[in-house]
Amino acid sequence: MRTIRVETSAATILLTEAPEPKVRDRQTGEIAKDAVSGEALMTIGVVYIEEGESSLIKVTVPESGVSEGLALGAPVSLPGLAARPWESVFNGQQRHGIAYRAAAVTPAAFPAVLGASA
């Protein structure tokens, strides 16, 4: 399926779940690896806020792309954020969704508030 780049310049993205290893197989505990580089993958939880609407999403990031200084509730930047639709059959049930992936997760600043005075 096609990968769709996500434009984030007008969004506020807040970290809601700290980075943790992405598990490929829950029964064995095997950690997911990037298919090309072989690098371990991590998942984070964020709230994505844009134009007055918000969504909680999980984002996969390579382990080397997880920056120091991340804090829960703080704004983050997700360079290279892309969305990829997926579908599969599990136990006879058709499932589908959107997988999100970014090149990195880095600390960011809160956007300036319009009309705020110093």
Side-chain angles (χ1 to χ4, degrees):
M1 295 220 161
R2 179 164 170 76
T3 298
I4 303 161
R5 290 194 169 273
V6 179
E7 172 57 49
T8 61
S9 63
T12 299
I13 304 169
L14 305 175
L15 187 65
T16 59
E17 294 178 31
E20 60 183 43
K22 182 174 183 171
V23 178
R24 181 175 187 266
D25 185 331
R26 293 184 199 278
Q27 292 180 339
T28 66
E30 178 185 359
I31 302 301
K33 306 260 188 218
D34 181 271
V36 175
S37 70
E39 183 177 2
L41 297 174
M42 306 291 283
T43 59
I44 59 165
V46 299
V47 61
Y48 184 97
I49 307 164
E50 188 174 17
E51 296 181 1
E53 294 186 21
S54 64
S55 298
L56 289 169
I57 62 173
K58 293 271 193 183
V59 181
T60 299
V61 180
E63 189 172 31
S64 65
V66 177
S67 296
E68 295 291 322
L70 298 174
L72 291 179
V76 293
S77 176
L78 297 170
L81 182 62
R84 192 172 128 233
W86 62 268
E87 61 181 46
S88 67
V89 176
F90 182 74
N91 287 337
Q93 298 281 342
Q94 183 76 24
R95 300 181 63 184
H96 62 278
I98 299 173
Y100 293 93
R101 176 118 180 215
V105 55
T106 60
F110 279 106
V113 177
L114 296 177
S117 58

